[in-house]
Amino acid sequence: DIQMTQSPSSLSASVGDGVSISCRASQSISNYVHWYQQKPGKAPKLLIYSASTLQSGVPSRFSGSGSGTDFTLAISSLQPEDFATYYCQQSYNTPYTFGLGTTLEIK
Amino acid sequence: QVQLLESGPGLVKPLETLSLTCNVSGDSITNDHYWGWIRQPPGKGLEWIGSFYGTGSAYFNPSLQGRATMSIDKSKNEFSLRLNSVTATDTAVYFCARGPTLQYYYYYYMDVWGKGTAVTVSS
């Protein structure tokens, strides 16, 4: 199975800050990476697919980049509703696997 | 607007079979999309369980060791998951989700999710 390693596991930031979350794959996976946001008690929400394509309806302050083994989710100018847990997921091979998540907390 | 709604028993005894259903509205499960299940143990991350396309065969996470099956009911526009010989490690919130169209199979992302249904395995 392809392992997806996210860092950091948690992150504190303030409203208005910009942050980046990293996701590293255990082998090269081209751009078959997708990012989700999950709030407590809710289902995950798709933010970014194929590494850098913004899902319809997702604010443009979210962006994704990377290829191969290293990927980044960036959020510019954090809003109060952005404090949540973020997961990356690979679809290069089955089983599809997720990172363990990065929890973004308010400082 | 596509909506998915999971339903299930809530509590299942060890070694019994867990059965969950996902009802889909706003899209047909035999149209051009993959559909599948994902679960999340309490306080933990996400695990993909399995997926299918149209009326084709399903494929599953090997971690389930052959315990999972999926079926569809076209008349009700819903699909189901059965997981047999459950143990406490199967305790989780189970989500159903829509995958990509066939053209984008390799970019298997999930763009519409149900709210999830909590399942506890306990005697």
Side-chain angles (χ1 to χ4, degrees), chain A residues 2-27:
Chain A
I2 296 175
Q3 290 192 8
M4 304 295 285
T5 303
Q6 285 185 237
S7 61
S9 57
S10 64
L11 180 58
S12 293
S14 300
V15 172
D17 287 351
V19 298
S20 293
I21 297 169
S22 172
C23 183
R24 175 165 290 177
S26 58
Q27 67 178 74

PDB file of all heavy atoms in Angstrom, chain A residues 2-27:
ATOM      1  N   ILE A   2       0.366   2.293  -0.641  1.00  0.00           N
ATOM      2  CA  ILE A   2       1.078   3.565  -0.652  1.00  0.00           C
ATOM      3  C   ILE A   2       0.760   4.309   0.635  1.00  0.00           C
ATOM      4  O   ILE A   2      -0.406   4.508   0.969  1.00  0.00           O
ATOM      5  CB  ILE A   2       0.674   4.385  -1.880  1.00  0.00           C
ATOM      6  CG1 ILE A   2       1.117   3.664  -3.154  1.00  0.00           C
ATOM      7  CG2 ILE A   2       1.291   5.784  -1.802  1.00  0.00           C
ATOM      8  CD1 ILE A   2       0.665   4.322  -4.430  1.00  0.00           C
ATOM      9  N   GLN A   3       1.812   4.716   1.347  1.00  0.00           N
ATOM     10  CA  GLN A   3       1.630   5.471   2.585  1.00  0.00           C
ATOM     11  C   GLN A   3       1.670   6.959   2.286  1.00  0.00           C
ATOM     12  O   GLN A   3       2.540   7.430   1.543  1.00  0.00           O
ATOM     13  CB  GLN A   3       2.713   5.119   3.592  1.00  0.00           C
ATOM     14  CG  GLN A   3       2.587   3.720   4.142  1.00  0.00           C
ATOM     15  CD  GLN A   3       3.492   3.498   5.339  1.00  0.00           C
ATOM     16  OE1 GLN A   3       4.108   4.420   5.853  1.00  0.00           O
ATOM     17  NE2 GLN A   3       3.591   2.263   5.787  1.00  0.00           N
ATOM     18  N   MET A   4       0.741   7.666   2.885  1.00  0.00           N
ATOM     19  CA  MET A   4       0.670   9.111   2.744  1.00  0.00           C
ATOM     20  C   MET A   4       0.996   9.726   4.099  1.00  0.00           C
ATOM     21  O   MET A   4       0.268   9.498   5.068  1.00  0.00           O
ATOM     22  CB  MET A   4      -0.717   9.541   2.269  1.00  0.00           C
ATOM     23  CG  MET A   4      -1.146   8.877   0.967  1.00  0.00           C
ATOM     24  SD  MET A   4      -0.135   9.336  -0.432  1.00  0.00           S
ATOM     25  CE  MET A   4      -0.719  10.996  -0.748  1.00  0.00           C
ATOM     26  N   THR A   5       2.082  10.465   4.178  1.00  0.00           N
ATOM     27  CA  THR A   5       2.541  11.033   5.440  1.00  0.00           C
ATOM     28  C   THR A   5       2.308  12.536   5.440  1.00  0.00           C
ATOM     29  O   THR A   5       2.899  13.261   4.639  1.00  0.00           O
ATOM     30  CB  THR A   5       4.028  10.734   5.654  1.00  0.00           C
ATOM     31  OG1 THR A   5       4.231   9.312   5.618  1.00  0.00           O
ATOM     32  CG2 THR A   5       4.491  11.288   6.995  1.00  0.00           C
ATOM     33  N   GLN A   6       1.450  12.972   6.327  1.00  0.00           N
ATOM     34  CA  GLN A   6       1.139  14.393   6.427  1.00  0.00           C
ATOM     35  C   GLN A   6       1.949  15.059   7.530  1.00  0.00           C
ATOM     36  O   GLN A   6       2.217  14.454   8.573  1.00  0.00           O
ATOM     37  CB  GLN A   6      -0.353  14.601   6.732  1.00  0.00           C
ATOM     38  CG  GLN A   6      -1.255  14.367   5.544  1.00  0.00           C
ATOM     39  CD  GLN A   6      -2.710  14.696   5.852  1.00  0.00           C
ATOM     40  OE1 GLN A   6      -3.578  13.836   5.697  1.00  0.00           O
ATOM     41  NE2 GLN A   6      -2.981  15.914   6.278  1.00  0.00           N
ATOM     42  N   SER A   7       2.314  16.297   7.284  1.00  0.00           N
ATOM     43  CA  SER A   7       2.960  17.080   8.328  1.00  0.00           C
ATOM     44  C   SER A   7       2.571  18.546   8.176  1.00  0.00           C
ATOM     45  O   SER A   7       2.361  19.018   7.054  1.00  0.00           O
ATOM     46  CB  SER A   7       4.482  16.911   8.247  1.00  0.00           C
ATOM     47  OG  SER A   7       4.968  17.366   6.997  1.00  0.00           O
ATOM     48  N   PRO A   8       2.452  19.251   9.312  1.00  0.00           N
ATOM     49  CA  PRO A   8       2.511  18.690  10.663  1.00  0.00           C
ATOM     50  C   PRO A   8       1.218  17.933  10.978  1.00  0.00           C
ATOM     51  O   PRO A   8       0.262  17.984  10.206  1.00  0.00           O
ATOM     52  CB  PRO A   8       2.652  19.945  11.516  1.00  0.00           C
ATOM     53  CG  PRO A   8       1.898  20.979  10.754  1.00  0.00           C
ATOM     54  CD  PRO A   8       2.149  20.683   9.299  1.00  0.00           C
ATOM     55  N   SER A   9       1.172  17.273  12.110  1.00  0.00           N
ATOM     56  CA  SER A   9      -0.068  16.603  12.505  1.00  0.00           C
ATOM     57  C   SER A   9      -1.054  17.605  13.073  1.00  0.00           C
ATOM     58  O   SER A   9      -2.271  17.372  13.040  1.00  0.00           O
ATOM     59  CB  SER A   9       0.221  15.510  13.528  1.00  0.00           C
ATOM     60  OG  SER A   9       0.877  16.045  14.650  1.00  0.00           O
ATOM     61  N   SER A  10      -0.535  18.690  13.620  1.00  0.00           N
ATOM     62  CA  SER A  10      -1.398  19.772  14.076  1.00  0.00           C
ATOM     63  C   SER A  10      -0.688  21.101  13.865  1.00  0.00           C
ATOM     64  O   SER A  10       0.544  21.158  13.792  1.00  0.00           O
ATOM     65  CB  SER A  10      -1.789  19.593  15.541  1.00  0.00           C
ATOM     66  OG  SER A  10      -0.658  19.667  16.362  1.00  0.00           O
ATOM     67  N   LEU A  11      -1.480  22.136  13.796  1.00  0.00           N
ATOM     68  CA  LEU A  11      -0.972  23.444  13.423  1.00  0.00           C
ATOM     69  C   LEU A  11      -1.858  24.498  14.062  1.00  0.00           C
ATOM     70  O   LEU A  11      -3.086  24.396  13.996  1.00  0.00           O
ATOM     71  CB  LEU A  11      -1.026  23.556  11.889  1.00  0.00           C
ATOM     72  CG  LEU A  11      -0.574  24.791  11.167  1.00  0.00           C
ATOM     73  CD1 LEU A  11       0.871  25.105  11.493  1.00  0.00           C
ATOM     74  CD2 LEU A  11      -0.751  24.573   9.664  1.00  0.00           C
ATOM     75  N   SER A  12      -1.243  25.481  14.694  1.00  0.00           N
ATOM     76  CA  SER A  12      -1.992  26.601  15.275  1.00  0.00           C
ATOM     77  C   SER A  12      -1.750  27.849  14.444  1.00  0.00           C
ATOM     78  O   SER A  12      -0.598  28.138  14.096  1.00  0.00           O
ATOM     79  CB  SER A  12      -1.566  26.858  16.715  1.00  0.00           C
ATOM     80  OG  SER A  12      -1.928  25.782  17.546  1.00  0.00           O
ATOM     81  N   ALA A  13      -2.802  28.562  14.145  1.00  0.00           N
ATOM     82  CA  ALA A  13      -2.663  29.776  13.353  1.00  0.00           C
ATOM     83  C   ALA A  13      -3.800  30.738  13.707  1.00  0.00           C
ATOM     84  O   ALA A  13      -4.783  30.349  14.361  1.00  0.00           O
ATOM     85  CB  ALA A  13      -2.687  29.454  11.866  1.00  0.00           C
ATOM     86  N   SER A  14      -3.653  31.952  13.260  1.00  0.00           N
ATOM     87  CA  SER A  14      -4.646  32.984  13.544  1.00  0.00           C
ATOM     88  C   SER A  14      -5.429  33.316  12.281  1.00  0.00           C
ATOM     89  O   SER A  14      -4.947  33.110  11.152  1.00  0.00           O
ATOM     90  CB  SER A  14      -3.954  34.245  14.061  1.00  0.00           C
ATOM     91  OG  SER A  14      -3.238  33.975  15.245  1.00  0.00           O
ATOM     92  N   VAL A  15      -6.617  33.853  12.502  1.00  0.00           N
ATOM     93  CA  VAL A  15      -7.408  34.328  11.367  1.00  0.00           C
ATOM     94  C   VAL A  15      -6.586  35.359  10.591  1.00  0.00           C
ATOM     95  O   VAL A  15      -5.962  36.233  11.181  1.00  0.00           O
ATOM     96  CB  VAL A  15      -8.735  34.934  11.859  1.00  0.00           C
ATOM     97  CG1 VAL A  15      -9.486  35.602  10.708  1.00  0.00           C
ATOM     98  CG2 VAL A  15      -9.609  33.860  12.499  1.00  0.00           C
ATOM     99  N   GLY A  16      -6.562  35.196   9.282  1.00  0.00           N
ATOM    100  CA  GLY A  16      -5.787  36.082   8.425  1.00  0.00           C
ATOM    101  C   GLY A  16      -4.427  35.547   8.037  1.00  0.00           C
ATOM    102  O   GLY A  16      -3.816  36.022   7.070  1.00  0.00           O
ATOM    103  N   ASP A  17      -3.937  34.543   8.807  1.00  0.00           N
ATOM    104  CA  ASP A  17      -2.637  33.938   8.474  1.00  0.00           C
ATOM    105  C   ASP A  17      -2.744  33.093   7.210  1.00  0.00           C
ATOM    106  O   ASP A  17      -3.831  32.672   6.795  1.00  0.00           O
ATOM    107  CB  ASP A  17      -2.159  33.026   9.611  1.00  0.00           C
ATOM    108  CG  ASP A  17      -1.685  33.781  10.826  1.00  0.00           C
ATOM    109  OD1 ASP A  17      -1.549  35.030  10.745  1.00  0.00           O
ATOM    110  OD2 ASP A  17      -1.454  33.123  11.867  1.00  0.00           O
ATOM    111  N   GLY A  18      -1.581  32.785   6.640  1.00  0.00           N
ATOM    112  CA  GLY A  18      -1.482  31.780   5.583  1.00  0.00           C
ATOM    113  C   GLY A  18      -0.770  30.566   6.136  1.00  0.00           C
ATOM    114  O   GLY A  18       0.150  30.692   6.950  1.00  0.00           O
ATOM    115  N   VAL A  19      -1.203  29.364   5.721  1.00  0.00           N
ATOM    116  CA  VAL A  19      -0.582  28.137   6.204  1.00  0.00           C
ATOM    117  C   VAL A  19      -0.400  27.162   5.049  1.00  0.00           C
ATOM    118  O   VAL A  19      -1.078  27.253   4.016  1.00  0.00           O
ATOM    119  CB  VAL A  19      -1.417  27.456   7.313  1.00  0.00           C
ATOM    120  CG1 VAL A  19      -1.542  28.345   8.532  1.00  0.00           C
ATOM    121  CG2 VAL A  19      -2.784  27.034   6.789  1.00  0.00           C
ATOM    122  N   SER A  20       0.520  26.217   5.276  1.00  0.00           N
ATOM    123  CA  SER A  20       0.744  25.141   4.310  1.00  0.00           C
ATOM    124  C   SER A  20       0.766  23.815   5.038  1.00  0.00           C
ATOM    125  O   SER A  20       1.310  23.710   6.141  1.00  0.00           O
ATOM    126  CB  SER A  20       2.071  25.327   3.573  1.00  0.00           C
ATOM    127  OG  SER A  20       2.041  26.465   2.745  1.00  0.00           O
ATOM    128  N   ILE A  21       0.194  22.810   4.402  1.00  0.00           N
ATOM    129  CA  ILE A  21       0.183  21.445   4.925  1.00  0.00           C
ATOM    130  C   ILE A  21       0.851  20.558   3.882  1.00  0.00           C
ATOM    131  O   ILE A  21       0.543  20.643   2.688  1.00  0.00           O
ATOM    132  CB  ILE A  21      -1.264  20.975   5.187  1.00  0.00           C
ATOM    133  CG1 ILE A  21      -1.910  21.846   6.264  1.00  0.00           C
ATOM    134  CG2 ILE A  21      -1.288  19.504   5.577  1.00  0.00           C
ATOM    135  CD1 ILE A  21      -3.411  21.627   6.411  1.00  0.00           C
ATOM    136  N   SER A  22       1.737  19.707   4.365  1.00  0.00           N
ATOM    137  CA  SER A  22       2.495  18.849   3.462  1.00  0.00           C
ATOM    138  C   SER A  22       1.972  17.421   3.483  1.00  0.00           C
ATOM    139  O   SER A  22       1.498  16.921   4.509  1.00  0.00           O
ATOM    140  CB  SER A  22       3.965  18.853   3.883  1.00  0.00           C
ATOM    141  OG  SER A  22       4.694  17.909   3.155  1.00  0.00           O
ATOM    142  N   CYS A  23       2.086  16.774   2.358  1.00  0.00           N
ATOM    143  CA  CYS A  23       1.719  15.362   2.233  1.00  0.00           C
ATOM    144  C   CYS A  23       2.781  14.699   1.361  1.00  0.00           C
ATOM    145  O   CYS A  23       3.031  15.143   0.238  1.00  0.00           O
ATOM    146  CB  CYS A  23       0.343  15.230   1.602  1.00  0.00           C
ATOM    147  SG  CYS A  23      -0.265  13.547   1.455  1.00  0.00           S
ATOM    148  N   ARG A  24       3.402  13.656   1.900  1.00  0.00           N
ATOM    149  CA  ARG A  24       4.450  12.954   1.170  1.00  0.00           C
ATOM    150  C   ARG A  24       4.024  11.514   0.921  1.00  0.00           C
ATOM    151  O   ARG A  24       3.638  10.805   1.850  1.00  0.00           O
ATOM    152  CB  ARG A  24       5.768  13.005   1.926  1.00  0.00           C
ATOM    153  CG  ARG A  24       6.900  12.201   1.287  1.00  0.00           C
ATOM    154  CD  ARG A  24       8.238  12.566   1.864  1.00  0.00           C
ATOM    155  NE  ARG A  24       8.636  13.910   1.451  1.00  0.00           N
ATOM    156  CZ  ARG A  24       9.758  14.519   1.865  1.00  0.00           C
ATOM    157  NH1 ARG A  24      10.579  13.877   2.719  1.00  0.00           N
ATOM    158  NH2 ARG A  24      10.056  15.713   1.449  1.00  0.00           N
ATOM    159  N   ALA A  25       4.138  11.076  -0.316  1.00  0.00           N
ATOM    160  CA  ALA A  25       3.789   9.701  -0.672  1.00  0.00           C
ATOM    161  C   ALA A  25       5.012   8.799  -0.580  1.00  0.00           C
ATOM    162  O   ALA A  25       6.139   9.237  -0.806  1.00  0.00           O
ATOM    163  CB  ALA A  25       3.216   9.666  -2.082  1.00  0.00           C
ATOM    164  N   SER A  26       4.761   7.521  -0.281  1.00  0.00           N
ATOM    165  CA  SER A  26       5.863   6.564  -0.111  1.00  0.00           C
ATOM    166  C   SER A  26       6.470   6.129  -1.446  1.00  0.00           C
ATOM    167  O   SER A  26       7.497   5.453  -1.458  1.00  0.00           O
ATOM    168  CB  SER A  26       5.379   5.338   0.667  1.00  0.00           C
ATOM    169  OG  SER A  26       4.298   4.713   0.001  1.00  0.00           O
ATOM    170  N   GLN A  27       5.832   6.494  -2.552  1.00  0.00           N
ATOM    171  CA  GLN A  27       6.390   6.285  -3.881  1.00  0.00           C
ATOM    172  C   GLN A  27       5.830   7.366  -4.796  1.00  0.00           C
ATOM    173  O   GLN A  27       4.881   8.065  -4.426  1.00  0.00           O
ATOM    174  CB  GLN A  27       6.045   4.898  -4.423  1.00  0.00           C
ATOM    175  CG  GLN A  27       4.569   4.698  -4.702  1.00  0.00           C
ATOM    176  CD  GLN A  27       4.265   3.334  -5.275  1.00  0.00           C
ATOM    177  OE1 GLN A  27       4.298   2.324  -4.578  1.00  0.00           O
ATOM    178  NE2 GLN A  27       3.954   3.308  -6.573  1.00  0.00           N
TER     179      GLN A  27
END
